[in-house]
Amino acid sequence: MKIILDGKEVTAEAGRTILEVARQNGVDIPTLCHVPALEPAAMCRLCTVELIENRRARMVTACNYPLRGDAEVRTDTPFLRQGRKLIIELLYSRCPDSTVLKELAARYGAELGRFPEDNKDCVMCGLCARVCERVGGNVLALCGRGVEIRVDTSFGRTARHCIGCGACARICPVNKIQIGDEGAERTVIIYGKEASRIPLRPCTSCGKPFGPVIDLSLIMERAGETKVPAFNLSVCPACSRRNHARRLAERHFEQYEIEPRETGEDD
Amino acid sequence: MNTATSAAAVLSGVKRFVGGQELEQHRQALIDRTDPNAPRILVCCGTGCKAVGSLDLLETMQNSVAASGAAIKVMPEVKRTGCHGFCSRGPLLTLQPEGLFYQRVKPEDAEEIVKQTVIGGELVKRLLYKPQGAKESIAKVGDIPFFAKQTKLVLKRVGRIDPFDINDSLVHGAYKALNKVLNEMSPDQVIEEIKNSKLRGRGGAGFPTGLKWESCSRQPGRHYVICNGDEGDPGAFMDASVMEGDPHAVLEGMAIAAYAMGSDRGFLYVRMEYPLAVQTLTRAIRQAEELGLIGDNILGTGFKFKVSVSTGAGAFVCGESSALMSSLEGKVGRPRPKYIRSTEKGFRDSPSNLNNVETYANVPEIILRGGAWYTGYGTERSAGTKVFSLTGNVHNVGLVEVPMGTSLREIVYGIGGGIPNKKELKAVQTGGPSGGCIPIPKKFLDINVGFGKLAEIGSMMGSGGMIVMDENICMVEVSRYFINFLVEESCGQCTPCREGLTRMKDILTRLTLGEGREGDVELLEEIGKFTNSFSLCGLGTSAANPVLSTIKYFREEYDAHIRDKKCPAGVCKPLYYYEIDPEKCTGCGLCRAKCPAKAVAGEKKKPHTIDQELCIKCMECYKNCKFDSIKIM
Ligand SMILES: Cc1cc2nc3c(=O)[nH]c(=O)nc-3n(C[C@H](O)[C@H](O)[C@H](O)COP(=O)(O)O)c2cc1C
Ligand code: SF4
Ligand code: FES
């Protein structure tokens, strides 16, 4: 397969996406809605490049276009730069305090503030919904009709089957999802609205709430497993570490038949 | 006579056909039984006529015929049919075999028609069609230009048969082609024939149907045959009329496609807003299954094809092929981002062939008469005919089928009867909401309507919407209207379409309110250019067409809105006012009488004036003035 990437001939494995091939060859195509671990959704369109295949030129998104034969790819033409500039400007009005967008704006000379701000606190990359479906409790989805599309839970209700994994908050490129533990509960907040609230289980050792109560069967089902493994996280990480250390120490003292010295209360 | 019982009576003697010969024998028996010269009263019960009361007309007509039974020599059959096409004149009624055409018929007229025409052999003059400006009425369908100038291939049975009675379709040749295909042709021969016909998809993109079938048939795995009956374009109803008026043509086309591609399963995706189409199709499928024309072991050949109707919730974007497949799978109807054809991986990731209703309806006749016959219609690159829904400022609103390559002049003036109220034709909009506006006076009245030509001048064929616009249509407002429609129908997943169109809508709304600024047109062009090339699906990549084409051809109108704060067409309310030309005003007082806001004042026989404070710009005076003295300023 002969690929000409921005004028240079490169080799590529059939089926690889343009983005993968470009990155392998040190060509940086901007992306916003893509992470390699998730199926691409090609929503932001920032990675649009020009593809010439069979002497036909067209615009495709690099993140999900699989190269299957000889092709020429142009990733940085004036037209593409202008288009990306416009996309950044449009997205910026949805989410004016985003660092990622400011960086992209600097790179493409975007005029921030060209469109009136309508703070939606979201660039609609869909990553949170996709990661939630893939690794979380499948709580978040792109809801709403048309341009009013938004990330939400089923029927906008506070979800209970959230596993509290926090992947959504972690993946959000504009840091607009808050996840917090308060008392014996964990909440996920999107657009200032409570998306999910789940109980935290108390540590059997120290009694403090520490981790979400998870319905494992859901995850097993998705993984195609029938037997739920013994997943018995009943001790918080701090206690777990301490218990482990104590066991080690005990074994050590037993070995040398040393009487451990009494210490005060923990922590 | 009740058609349902008559169908049942004939059907009761027939079980499933176990061979093609049986089908033909049954057909012959039906034909022998029907006297072509027997009187028949066809009542149009298409959606348009139904809306103006044709079901009541059908019932009173049946009752009137039954009541005068003794006086009638040969009892006419009163038949419920699909759309006759001349919707602006509904309810419509045709009397066969003479081919008499009555329009705007009310239930009260039924008795008179029976007495005067059926029994007395005289015309009811008042119900005849009189073309605009003509002195004489026209009695026969064949003499009415609206019908005479059309070429009906797809619509040939629509409006003539009872869509609820499979026997009526059989009399008119349904399933002959399927029989031929199953008994005389190999799948490859079928595909070859369709390729020879140069049939191109009627859903908008105009992809060659034969090629699509071929590439689908070559894929491994279970194949699906899907019909796109979503028809989301505002004002379009050609697919509806085919599904409602001749459901068996669509089913037969799909069955032939299934045979050609080795499929055993089909779906008709019909928008929920088409309850009549859902009803006719569901009934048609059941009747065809009972006769062994659809379902298991079709015509005893072992070929199996099961079809079902699936309803969509009326989202325009669900007409897009990948969104349609998602919706059919029960998922949200959003276009899929994958770069893979549905013929390879479509419905349930299996090879799926999607065609438009009209595309399938073309198939049986091509099989029967051959691809070469089909290329005899239309042009080199666009073969066959196309059904357009002709609407807007034109006398004859309705469905028209013409060979591809027919000029706009012929469609708008020849068939459409021209522009009402002595107005000038300004533009023709084709291609649905993402088509373009073709300026008429300047150049394009004689262009030949085909896939290539329309694309060349910045519009498109789309599924066949055609809106005629006169001088009182504002192009900025037209853009705003279509963009607004698309903003509402966008699925919202990709940035250029979701954000870009919303911004365009905001700008256009500002323009129509007189708040336009220098640079707005350039900004519209910029956004349009990039939504057209950066969007994910066909909705986004064609959405800017109405804006770009109106800017291209009617730039001065945009400038008038922005610089002079004027709407030359008199549509955008804050941007114009009416004034009475004292030279022309005769003081007849009609406008004064019509004005709902009492804004017109003046003495009889003296020029009147309009109080701008009171005027609500409802256009009543403008529309009613017989002396052309009201000016848009
Ligand atoms: C936004 C959008 C809406 C569409 N709506 C329809 C529709 O209502 N009916 C239709 O037949 N095709 C529609 N299409 C075209 C279909 O995607 C597809 O091309 C067509 O059904 C294929 O059939 P054909 O080859 O017979 O034309 C639409 C396309 C787009 C992008
Ligand atoms: S172009 Fe519009 S309709 Fe199509 S995928 Fe993008 S947002 Fe959805
Ligand atoms: S990164 Fe490819 S479309 Fe967003």
Side-chain angles (χ1 to χ4, degrees), chain B residues 413-568:
Chain B
Y413 288 96
I415 297 173
I419 317 302
N421 309 322
K422 301 200 193 88
K423 296 282 179 197
E424 286 282 332
L425 172 57
K426 179 172 179 180
V428 175
Q429 203 273 355
T430 68
S434 34
C437 285
I438 307 167
I440 292 303
K442 288 184 194 144
K443 26 191 143 173
F444 295 125
L445 193 52
D446 287 302
I447 67 146
N448 300 326
V449 178
F451 288 107
K453 195 71 204 178
L454 288 178
E456 197 179 294
I457 59 174
S459 184
M460 61 187 207
M461 177 74 86
S463 51
M466 191 175 277
I467 307 171
V468 181
M469 300 175 176
D470 71 13
E471 55 195 290
N472 287 126
I473 301 288
C474 164
M475 289 298 143
V476 180
E477 169 57 22
V478 165
S479 296
R480 192 207 58 82
Y481 171 83
F482 283 120
I483 287 291
N484 187 47
F485 172 84
L486 292 165
V487 165
E488 292 193 353
E489 296 299 329
S490 158
C491 84
Q493 64 179 328
C494 75
T495 316
C497 176
R498 181 188 62 240
E499 307 298 328
L501 297 189
T502 309
R503 294 304 172 182
M504 286 173 98
K505 182 187 111 178
D506 293 348
I507 298 169
L508 288 163
T509 308
R510 269 201 292 108
L511 294 190
T512 57
L513 292 173
E515 293 159 15
R517 300 191 280 263
E518 284 301 324
D520 278 346
V521 174
E522 290 70 19
L523 185 53
L524 285 172
E525 283 179 319
E526 181 190 341
I527 303 177
K529 182 164 91 178
F530 291 111
T531 49
N532 268 7
S533 36
F534 277 61
S535 295
L536 190 156
C537 84
L539 190 151
T541 55
S542 58
N545 288 352
V547 182
L548 296 179
S549 72
T550 48
I551 292 181
K552 179 168 170 197
Y553 296 122
F554 299 94
R555 173 73 193 236
E556 65 289 352
E557 229 168 291
Y558 281 84
D559 289 342
H561 280 72
I562 296 170
R563 291 187 194 143
D564 316 332
K565 307 284 178 228
K566 286 279 164 222
C567 175

Side-chain angles (χ1 to χ4, degrees), chain B residues 152-174:
Chain B
K152 297 203 175 190
L153 302 185
V154 172
L155 299 178
K156 71 182 181 315
R157 289 197 297 246
V158 176
R160 303 187 55 199
I161 57 162
D162 178 351
F164 287 106
D165 177 7
I166 190 171
N167 281 323
D168 205 14
S169 295
L170 290 177
V171 169
H172 289 85

